[in-house]
């Protein structure tokens, strides 16, 4: 079984090269995969399933084509697209995953997360996360008009960028003790997550046994994907050329 894992594409109209690279990835890499897991921050922002911008329509169509071919599609919320709902998933043929989720990957229980909940050192963000994941807050936001939601999303992105520029780098990374706690709590020794934009494979020890934390990379100058087959588990990247047409 061939499974692919991606996260943190931050798709938006202002970065067409990333969208072209993603469509190319679906046609030439994911086309023969058995499953594709999208672990959050797929979109730079999401204001509701009723948004029908040209980019969103194209993404929906491309994902639906993939799922119709028989590739199982899974989606997990990130801190940018936590308002993605069941309607979107139904439209593209995806299963909405809770965060965290446990899957069996080549016979090993593997914990999947977006990764933002692991950054417990960032108290300011953790407070916002608790509010933003509240059903009451989300209902209040979704009751606004599309234009009001677009303005709010822009405001939140600007506030986040300004706040992050004043934070120490280690605060925005995962808390090692929280990583171990989550693995212990879910009886897993492997964790796959995104969010931090620090792609790497980290060996770790959990209660005297070896484990691993695999961090997916964000798509910017390069695209990142974790590929799992019975023969290998490989974190790889490929260049994204802003001047080329990668849709062909």
């Amino acid at each position: 079984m061939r499974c692919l894992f991606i996260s943190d594409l931050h798709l938006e109209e202002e970065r067409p090269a990333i969208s072209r690279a993603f469509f190319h990835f679906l046609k030439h890499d994911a086309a023969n995969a058995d499953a594709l897991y999208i672990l959050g921050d797929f979109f730079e922002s999401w204001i509701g399933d009723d948004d029908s911008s040209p980019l969103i329509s194209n993404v929906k169509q491309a994902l639906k084509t993939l799922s119709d071919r028989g590739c199982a599609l899974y989606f997990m919320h990130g801190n940018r697209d936590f308002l993605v709902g069941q309607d979107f998933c139904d439209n593209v043929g995806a299963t909405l995953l809770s965060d965290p989720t446990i899957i069996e990957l080549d016979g090993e229980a593997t914990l999947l997360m977006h990764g933002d909940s692991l950054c417990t050192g960032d108290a300011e963000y953790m407070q916002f996360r608790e509010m933003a994941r509240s059903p009451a807050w989300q209902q209040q936001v979704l009751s606004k008009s599309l234009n009001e939601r677009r303005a709010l999303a822009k405001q939140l992105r600007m506030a986040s960028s300004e706040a992050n520029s004043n934070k120490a780098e280690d605060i925005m990374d995962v808390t090692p003790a929280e990583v171990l706690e989550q693995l212990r709590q879910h009886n897993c020794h492997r964790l796959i997550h995104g969010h931090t934009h620090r792609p790497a494979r980290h060996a770790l020890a959990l209660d005297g046994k070896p484990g691993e934390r695999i961090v997916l990379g964000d798509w910017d100058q390069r695209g990142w994907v974790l590929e799992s087959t019975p023969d290998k588990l490989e974190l790889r990247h490929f260049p994204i050329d802003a001047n080329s047409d990668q849709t062909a």
Side-chain angles (χ1 to χ4, degrees), residues 40-106:
D41 284 4
F42 182 50
F43 296 98
E44 172 64 7
S45 64
W46 189 262
I47 60 173
D49 290 0
D50 54 340
D51 191 1
S52 57
S53 70
L55 172 60
I56 290 174
S57 296
N58 290 336
V59 169
K60 285 182 177 179
Q61 181 178 356
L63 289 175
K64 186 65 166 60
T65 298
L66 181 69
S67 63
D68 283 347
R69 288 177 179 171
C71 179
L73 187 59
Y74 300 93
F75 184 91
M76 179 178 287
H77 290 136
N79 54 292
R80 297 281 186 169
D81 48 18
F82 52 83
L83 288 177
V84 167
Q86 192 61 50
D87 284 350
F88 171 83
C89 291
D90 290 344
N91 287 338
V92 303
T95 299
L96 186 61
L97 299 178
S98 59
D99 183 1
T101 284
I102 302 172
I103 65 169
E104 185 174 303
L105 195 61
D106 296 329

Side-chain angles (χ1 to χ4, degrees), residues 77-79 82 116 125 128-135 138:
H77 290 136
N79 54 292
F82 52 83
D116 59 327
Y125 170 71
F128 170 77
R129 187 182 191 277
E130 183 177 1
M131 176 191 71
R133 300 303 175 100
S134 159
Q138 293 186 7

Side-chain angles (χ1 to χ4, degrees), residues 104-119:
E104 185 174 303
L105 195 61
D106 296 329
E108 180 175 345
T110 300
L111 187 63
L112 305 181
M113 305 180 73
H114 174 59
D116 59 327
S117 64
L118 298 169
C119 302

